[in-house]
Amino acid sequence: QQQVKQSPQSLIVQKGGISIINCAYENTAFDYFPWYQQFPGKGPALLIAIRPDVSEKKEGRFTISFNKSAKQFSLHIMDSQPGDSATYFCAASASGTYKYIFGTGTRLKVLA
Amino acid sequence: GAVVSQHPSWVICKSGTSVKIECRSLDFQATTMFWYRQFPKQSLMLMATSNEGSKATYEQGVEKDKFLINHASLTLSTLTVTSAHPEDSSFYICSALGTTGELFFGEGSRLTVL
C-alpha cells in the first residue's frame, strides 16, 4: 500500500513532442505529490508538485494532472527539448510523516 | 528553491576506512533531513531520517552501526560510513525538509571503496 507505481520505465520522444509519465498510488493518506528531475551524477531537483485539492497544475512547459478517484497522477512535458533528457521520479507523501515514497523512475530521452 | 549543499561530491577510500559526508541546508533551517542511497539506474532508497538533536531513525535493513548519522544543528547532518567495504560503494544523497513540507536534495556524493 506504500508503493508508488511509475510508468513507463523509459521514454523516447522527438523534439517538440509531448512527454507523458504516469504514477499510481494506493495509500489514500497521501496528500502531496511532487515530481523530481535528476540528471546523471546529480541529486534530484524539485520540478513541480500538486496537492489533491486541484486536478491540474501548470508551470511553464510542465503540467501535473491529478485524478483523485483513480489515485493516479501524471507529468506532461510540452514541447519537449533535448535538455529535458533526464530521469524523472514521482513521489508521494502524507502530512505529518514527511516520508516520501518514490516511484521507480522514468528515463526520458528527447531526440534532437 | 531552497539550497542543500552536500560535500564531498565524490570520494575514493580504501577498504576498512571511514568516510564522512556532510549535508548542509544553506538558506533555511531543517529540523529533519533524510539520507538516501541510489544504485545505478535505480530509484532512491531511504536509509534513515535524521532529526536535529535526537537519534536518527533507520529504515529496515540499514545497519545503524555501519552508517552513523549525526544531526547536531538545524543546518547540518552528517553520514559516516564506517569500516567501508566495496559493497558500500554507491551514490549517497541527502535531503532536507523545507518549512512548507517540500523536500530539497543535495547534489549527491559518489563513494568508491577500493
Side-chain angles (χ1 to χ4, degrees):
Chain A
Q1 194 177 15
Q2 282 291 88
Q3 282 186 331
V4 176
K5 296 181 179 179
Q6 184 171 347
S7 63
Q9 188 175 18
S10 62
L11 181 62
I12 299 176
V13 174
Q14 293 287 340
K15 179 181 176 181
I18 302 174
S19 304
I20 302 174
I21 305 171
N22 302 298
C23 283
Y25 63 98
E26 294 183 2
N27 189 346
T28 55
F30 288 149
D31 59 2
Y32 181 66
F33 304 90
W35 284 90
Y36 286 86
Q37 178 188 57
Q38 185 180 30
F39 293 104
K42 300 293 184 182
L46 178 63
L47 199 58
I48 187 173
I50 198 169
R51 295 192 183 275
D53 52 342
V54 295
S55 60
E56 185 175 281
K57 183 174 181 180
K58 183 177 181 179
E59 289 184 2
R61 296 185 293 111
F62 301 94
T63 300
I64 298 180
S65 296
F66 184 80
N67 186 328
K68 189 174 182 178
S69 60
K71 289 184 283 188
Q72 295 175 347
F73 58 109
S74 60
L75 175 69
H76 295 233
I77 306 175
M78 313 299 287
D79 187 26
S80 299
Q81 299 296 313
D84 297 330
S85 297
T87 299
Y88 293 82
F89 292 97
C90 64
S93 72
S95 295
T97 66
Y98 299 119
K99 185 180 287 189
Y100 284 45
I101 306 299
F102 285 88
T104 50
T106 296
R107 300 184 75 190
L108 170 66
K109 185 177 178 68
V110 181
L111 301 177
Chain B
V3 179
V4 176
S5 174
Q6 195 171 334
H7 177 81
S9 55
W10 58 271
V11 56
I12 301 173
C13 70
K14 291 183 178 180
S15 185
T17 61
S18 296
V19 174
K20 181 185 284 188
I21 300 170
E22 293 187 346
C23 179
R24 294 179 185 275
S25 56
L26 297 186
D27 51 359
F28 67 104
Q29 294 183 327
T31 306
T32 304
M33 291 185 173
F34 302 90
W35 286 95
Y36 296 83
R37 184 172 180 176
Q38 187 176 36
F39 292 102
K41 299 182 181 180
Q42 292 192 22
S43 189
L44 296 90
M45 182 188 80
L46 179 64
M47 299 175 64
T49 302
S50 170
N51 292 298
E52 186 267 337
S54 63
K55 290 184 178 180
T57 303
Y58 291 82
E59 295 300 301
Q60 191 172 10
V62 178
E63 300 176 60
K64 57 183 179 182
D65 295 330
K66 157 71 78 176
F67 300 101
L68 300 180
I69 291 173
N70 183 276
H71 194 158
S73 78
L74 286 171
T75 59
L76 174 64
S77 176
T78 60
L79 167 68
T80 301
V81 183
T82 63
S83 186
H85 291 281
E87 57 266 29
D88 298 325
S89 298
S90 191
F91 192 54
Y92 293 89
I93 313 173
C94 72
S95 66
L97 196 63
T99 54
T100 56
E102 296 172 326
L103 200 61
F104 300 99
F105 285 87
E107 286 291 288
S109 298
R110 172 78 56 195
L111 170 64
T112 301
V113 184
L114 302 176

